[in-house]
Amino acid sequence: MNVSAKPVDWADRNWWRGATIYQIYPRSFQDTDGDGIGDLRGIEKRLEHIASLGADAVWISPFFKSPMKDFGYDVQDYTCVDPMFGTNEDFAAVIAKARELGLRVMVDLVFSHTSDKHAWFQESRLSRDNPKSNWYVWADPRPDGTVPNNWMSMFGGTAWRWDPRREQYYLHNFLSSQPDLNLHNPEVQDALLDVLRFWLERGVSGFRFDVINFYFCDRYLRDNPPLPRELRNDSIAPSVNPYNHQLHLFDKNQPENVDFLRKLRAVMEPYAAAAVGEVGDAQRGLEIMAEYTSGNDKVHMCYPFELLQPTKLTARILEETFQRMNRAAPDAWPCWAYSNHDTVRLPTRWHASEAALKNYAVLLMCLRGSACIYQGEELGLPEAVLTFEDLQDPYGKEFWPEFKGRDGARTPMAWDETANGGFSANAKPWLPVPLDHVARSVAGQQGVPGSMLEHYRAALRLRRDHPTLKHGAMDAMWTAGDLVQFLRLGVQTLFCAFNLGDGTVEARLPEGHWHPVGADTGAKPPAPTVTLGPWEFCLAGRD
């Protein structure tokens, strides 16, 4: 595949506004050394595919040295590539190739916690008075020896683990092998800011910050109150997880986080770098996102979970989402996503037809904000069906079979119709490649009119060709049943109407002379009244 690089202004500090970011899960993208696990050389090899889609940047999930208990989200060394993925030199080659193709590279950084194998933790756990003794969240037991408070781990059970060396508990919001850093300690903040500088100096254009609202916990370790049953939902954790039984007032979302986000922003500014933060909160995700991205002095953008939730998107949910966001902070900048490595893939999660998936793709490109696309989303891949014996994810093993974990969204990419979909020469990759994914491979859809891959290319081209969709304002949405309509305002005015249902609806265009937009995406042409059949949409422009 020969792809011509699009012109890029590498000094543009606002490149992230309206950008389309393609997420790579490195274990599952492309294996080049035959061990059954993807690697950095594989990413370099396949970057042309991402450039051909029309993406502006790639976000690479963690590839740092790690024991891989949580597949890289348990970092042992922030500045060293894990040998499983290659070397720091291989990462430099990824940066160079991406730059040739006009793609920016964003690195996934985990600042909430480390691996228990990290040198910082190994020193911290030695005693209560060593130089790093206060680098993690340690607490004495209650008088009866039980845990310091009622906080729960996202992965099930108490969030505290006893350490016999210090005769104290340490906090772990996730696996017990992922101790939480103490960001109340300025030395910890400085060390993390140095990690940021390390990768910026090596040509990184931005970052994805994992669980950005988990950086600080309450200084006084106060108990979380219970959450009434009627307010519980499974948008962050599955319903079988007792994590959903608490209102998480004190284990995350602390006010001190805002000042640290300002420090992160200050380090990135001289490099024209940008960041997207993951806000994991079932009750206040949108409001936290608005707080963290408003004012142009904190993180650039965050993705909330409103489009990642199990509940199928409706016109009303979309309208309420934007209303809440505008009330919280009109200048907040979201980064919308339907899928990622932690969620059930979109076609399965929302039982979406091909027509619905194509509608959603264009809708994503028309919403105010930036957008993330997860590898395989452009192929319409459904969630993989795996046996318990196939599972690698500790989260899935803990709650099987009511919750099957995250591996179904993490299976390897299908590049062609050869063995393992062209992902690996190894007879048994780290996760199997489903046959129905191979049938939807890149090679099988390449150049095929009407294929999901070509539709995604048209959808991304729509945004690229209309700066109003990238940078423009958004007039208030109005909805009626399954119909959602809104205007985008900028160098031109764009009218957008989407039927998010299986029935027929009628959209009425505002007065004026409108011309068709996005015909190659399947958009219906404008008329004073446009009848939209199931999952149809209309796009129109007015200069």
Side-chain angles (χ1 to χ4, degrees), residues 291-505:
E291 179 185 13
Y292 287 3
T293 65
S294 63
N296 205 36
D297 63 343
K298 297 177 282 294
V299 73
H300 302 74
M301 48 190 165
C302 286
Y303 69 85
F305 279 70
E306 271 62 25
L307 301 190
L308 290 163
Q309 64 183 342
T311 304
K312 187 176 182 179
L313 183 67
T314 66
R316 185 58 188 158
I317 288 174
L318 192 63
E319 183 181 23
E320 289 175 350
T321 295
F322 275 87
Q323 287 174 347
R324 282 177 56 198
M325 188 174 66
N326 289 334
R327 284 196 300 269
D331 65 333
W333 195 262
C335 185
W336 302 111
Y338 293 131
S339 303
N340 64 27
H341 62 291
D342 285 333
T343 60
V344 173
R345 284 189 177 274
L346 181 64
T348 304
R349 193 173 79 246
W350 288 351
H351 306 287
S353 65
E354 182 165 312
L357 293 175
K358 289 181 175 180
N359 178 305
Y360 292 144
V362 177
L363 174 64
L364 187 69
M365 293 298 109
C366 290
L367 295 177
R368 178 183 177 273
S370 302
C372 281
I373 294 173
Y374 178 50
Q375 64 181 53
E377 187 176 332
E378 75 277 22
L379 305 178
L381 299 185
E383 183 83 350
V385 178
L386 303 175
T387 66
F388 183 80
E389 289 70 29
D390 289 327
L391 289 193
Q392 303 290 330
D393 182 14
Y395 201 3
K397 292 178 180 179
E398 177 71 19
F399 290 105
W400 179 277
E402 287 76 16
F403 173 65
K404 295 180 170 62
R406 302 166 294 180
D407 288 333
R410 297 178 174 184
T411 54
M413 272 287 282
W415 296 103
D416 55 42
E417 296 183 0
T418 62
N420 295 323
F423 164 71
S424 174
N426 192 294
K428 189 175 175 58
W430 82 284
L431 283 174
V433 183
L435 292 178
D436 60 342
H437 286 199
V438 175
R440 295 175 170 86
S441 71
V442 173
Q445 297 193 41
Q446 180 81 27
V448 177
S451 70
M452 192 65 65
L453 175 59
E454 295 303 333
H455 179 76
Y456 262 80
R457 286 178 172 148
L460 268 65
R461 187 164 54 246
L462 171 73
R463 174 170 282 211
R464 188 171 64 250
D465 290 347
H466 293 86
T468 295
L469 292 179
K470 296 190 72 170
H471 312 296
M474 186 168 171
D475 202 2
M477 284 185 175
W478 62 102
T479 63
D482 290 327
L483 175 66
V484 60
Q485 301 178 102
F486 54 89
L487 296 176
R488 297 299 307 276
L489 309 174
V491 292
Q492 64 176 160
T493 298
L494 295 175
F495 170 81
C496 307
F498 293 83
N499 181 2
L500 300 184
D502 294 320
T504 298
V505 298

Side-chain angles (χ1 to χ4, degrees), residues 27 43 60 92 173 182 192 200 233 280:
R27 294 179 70 92
I43 292 175
I60 307 176
N173 273 299
N182 177 21
L192 296 176
L200 288 167
N233 68 65

Side-chain angles (χ1 to χ4, degrees), residues 87-106:
T87 66
N88 283 40
E89 289 71 28
D90 291 333
F91 180 74
V94 169
I95 290 282
K97 180 67 172 181
R99 196 174 183 92
E100 286 178 16
L101 295 169
L103 290 168
R104 289 176 164 89
V105 174
M106 305 178 75

Side-chain angles (χ1 to χ4, degrees), residues 478 480 483 485 497 499 504-509 528-533:
W478 62 102
L483 175 66
Q485 301 178 102
N499 181 2
T504 298
V505 298
E506 287 192 348
R508 298 183 184 278
L509 274 73
T529 300
V530 182
T531 300
L532 297 178

Side-chain angles (χ1 to χ4, degrees), residues 152-206:
M152 304 293 290
S153 164
M154 180 79 82
F155 287 169
T158 178
W160 296 96
R161 177 68 178 262
W162 178 254
D163 188 278
R165 299 166 186 82
R166 290 182 51 142
E167 296 186 25
Q168 285 183 307
Y169 287 96
Y170 66 82
L171 177 67
H172 62 90
N173 273 299
F174 300 93
L175 294 176
S176 61
S177 58
Q178 293 172 297
D180 272 59
L181 287 162
N182 177 21
L183 272 82
H184 290 290
N185 185 339
E187 291 180 346
V188 174
Q189 294 188 30
D190 290 342
L192 296 176
L193 295 175
D194 284 342
V195 171
L196 216 60
R197 295 184 183 98
F198 177 89
W199 292 109
L200 288 167
E201 287 294 326
R202 281 151 184 80
V204 165
S205 293

Side-chain angles (χ1 to χ4, degrees), residues 26 34 84 122 197 242 270:
M84 175 185 296
Q122 291 294 305
R197 295 184 183 98

